[in-house]
Amino acid sequence: MSRGMGSTALKRLMTEYRELTLHAPEGIVAGPVSETNFFEWEALIEGPQDTPYEGGIFPATLSFPKDYPLSPPVMKFTCDMFHPNIYQDGTVCISILHAPGDDPNMYESSSERWSPVQSVEKILLSVLSMLAEPNDESGANIDACKVWRANRKEFDDIVRSTVRRTLGV
């Protein structure tokens, strides 16, 4: 990796952080874990209203590659999450976080995937939207997909129970 690439990424992340600090979207707080490492961020996402996630505060991490914004970060929830588009280990699976270019599975169009015009704010807003409206067509958590499709009340009950555990209630 050239030195220039890491410094370009750092400048971009500093700019995005400043922007998020000044104009944080409702229900989202995010920033670097420390002032010495802008490539690891923590985020708190508030569960969207009128969803089973409502009332929850969900911690997550964003790990940025040294060639950001050419490549997307990896986002991972650090609490229990029961959701069709979140793997068991907390990793978020949505189009905006998939590498640029064509989807080898022919599921997503390249316009839905990562591109350098995306931003941390767009990622977090997409995740907020994903919590409210799961995509069960491309599931990361097969159990959550099955329950989401077959029994919405059971899905909501499991999520609400997870929210209570996350809050320590």
Side-chain angles (χ1 to χ4, degrees), residues 103-116:
D103 178 4
N105 302 320
M106 314 270 276
Y107 176 73
E108 303 162 334
S109 76
S110 59
S111 65
E112 296 173 302
R113 296 167 71 88
W114 178 259
S115 82

Side-chain angles (χ1 to χ4, degrees), residues 140-160:
N141 180 329
I142 302 308
D143 293 339
C145 282
K146 286 179 183 169
V147 178
W148 167 261
R149 285 188 198 128
N151 187 339
R152 203 58 62 84
K153 184 190 177 320
E154 182 186 353
F155 179 86
D156 290 355
D157 290 346
I158 292 169
V159 169
R160 285 190 183 104

Side-chain angles (χ1 to χ4, degrees), residues 9-97:
L10 180 60
K11 280 186 195 133
R12 168 79 179 256
L13 287 167
M14 290 171 96
T15 302
E16 289 195 43
Y17 175 56
R18 189 169 45 250
E19 194 57 35
L20 268 174
T21 307
L22 295 171
H23 309 284
E26 195 168 326
I28 295 171
V29 179
V33 173
S34 76
E35 288 183 16
T36 57
N37 184 0
F38 261 77
F39 290 88
E40 294 295 323
W41 286 33
E42 291 174 319
L44 289 174
I45 297 180
E46 212 174 292
Q49 282 188 326
D50 303 320
T51 74
Y53 299 94
E54 183 174 3
I57 305 284
F58 306 102
T61 58
L62 288 144
S63 299
F64 295 89
K66 296 293 182 221
D67 69 345
Y68 180 80
L70 299 177
S71 299
V74 172
M75 182 169 176
K76 224 176 189 174
F77 280 98
T78 56
C79 61
D80 279 347
M81 289 296 278
F82 188 74
H83 189 284
N85 308 114
I86 301 172
Y87 287 101
Q88 299 280 358
D89 72 353
T91 302
V92 175
C93 178
I94 56 173
S95 303
I96 193 174
L97 290 174

